[in-house]
Amino acid sequence: MLPTTMVGSYPRPRWFTDQLAGRDLLEAFKLIGHREAYEDATRTVIHDQESAGLDILTDGQMWFDDYSMGIGSFLWYWFERIGGFGKEKLAHPAAAAAAAQGGGDTFALDQAGGVAVIGPIERGPLRLAELFTVAQKNAARPIKACVGAGPIQLSTLAHYKSGPVQDRYALSRALAQIFKAEIADLVAAGCKYIQLEDLGAWIPNLSGDKDFPWVCEIVNEVLSDVPDDVHTSWHFCLGNAWGNQVK
């Protein structure tokens, strides 16, 4: 039988209003009320999944703030905690071109925004192992760690202002090492199910076939050190909408 799961994100309970707002998780959790509310929210979404009979559960990504773009801080959780990025939300790099072509994608691009690259890309307090540990202690079934937005997708939102990284290829390679280190911490914490969240799978359908090898390179690098006894998966929305060549 195939085990059942869900993609990862889950609606926040209405009463869970605390926001990380760019802070390190462990800094925010100095406020006991925030920590307790976070754990209560995580426990609630886990219970929903258990009641539905799912075999592999997620924490619902209660660590994403109520930012725009529908999935909260799916993009900004990483930008805010990885060294080398500016803190301000800029226009999406493709916004001007989209507007010139009639503006069909303008709303989505405005919601996502863009970020400045201002220095070396360095690992910061992402705390994926800590998040997994909180969830797993509140679950009777295994927790799947959802990792992303990933390096490829994040690299498409960058404005290169200063520092050694000056294009999306170099940025994605630098980010891949950070994600790889976070996954190693997840494995060390006992996580047996890891799902990379990188919508970059469909980027080459927009940027050209030349980018398919790049996408494969980055995904393979991120997951290259995962042991054989840990299950991996890759989630990407719109993945095969145009006959994706990624294999």
Side-chain angles (χ1 to χ4, degrees), residues 7-213:
V7 171
S9 290
Y10 202 86
R12 277 178 166 234
R14 187 175 294 274
W15 46 261
F16 181 43
T17 59
D18 295 278
Q19 308 286 325
L20 291 173
R23 292 173 295 169
D24 179 351
L25 182 81
L26 299 186
E27 176 188 355
F29 282 2
K30 289 188 294 186
L31 294 170
I32 190 64
H34 189 161
R35 180 181 179 90
E36 288 177 346
Y38 173 83
E39 192 157 345
D40 286 346
T42 300
R43 188 183 302 112
T44 297
V45 303
I46 286 172
H47 177 71
D48 276 3
Q49 296 167 71
E50 290 174 333
S51 297
L54 298 185
D55 300 302
I56 303 166
L57 316 177
T58 84
D59 63 4
Q61 295 177 311
M62 296 293 103
W63 32 287
F64 284 165
D65 286 343
D66 290 327
Y67 290 3
S68 58
M69 201 190 162
I71 319 176
S73 54
F74 178 66
L75 302 169
W76 283 92
Y77 183 85
W78 316 95
F79 290 143
E80 290 171 335
R81 292 164 182 82
I82 293 174
F85 293 110
K87 300 300 184 185
E88 66 279 11
K89 180 179 177 181
L90 305 176
H92 191 285
Q101 294 173 6
D105 295 326
T106 299
F107 176 77
L109 296 177
D110 285 348
Q111 289 279 293
V115 68
V117 176
I118 57 175
I121 303 303
E122 299 173 339
R123 189 182 180 191
L126 297 172
R127 311 290 187 195
L128 296 192
E130 287 85 351
L131 291 162
F132 164 77
T133 300
V134 170
Q136 190 61 76
K137 77 174 186 178
N138 285 290
R141 299 171 193 170
I143 291 290
K144 174 180 67 176
C146 300
V147 182
I152 303 162
Q153 185 176 5
L154 295 179
S155 73
T156 66
L157 279 77
H159 297 269
Y160 300 94
K161 302 291 188 181
S162 60
V165 174
Q166 289 295 315
D167 63 54
R168 60 181 169 148
Y169 303 106
L171 177 56
S172 64
R173 291 181 178 111
L175 288 170
Q177 299 310 309
I178 293 171
F179 279 79
K180 189 174 179 178
E182 287 293 320
I183 289 172
D185 284 354
L186 282 166
V187 171
C191 184
K192 294 296 185 182
Y193 295 89
I194 293 172
Q195 177 176 285
L196 177 63
E197 311 267 10
D198 199 321
L199 281 60
W202 50 264
I203 293 299
N205 292 300
L206 306 174
S207 62
D209 287 356
K210 69 182 189 318
D211 279 341
F212 280 111

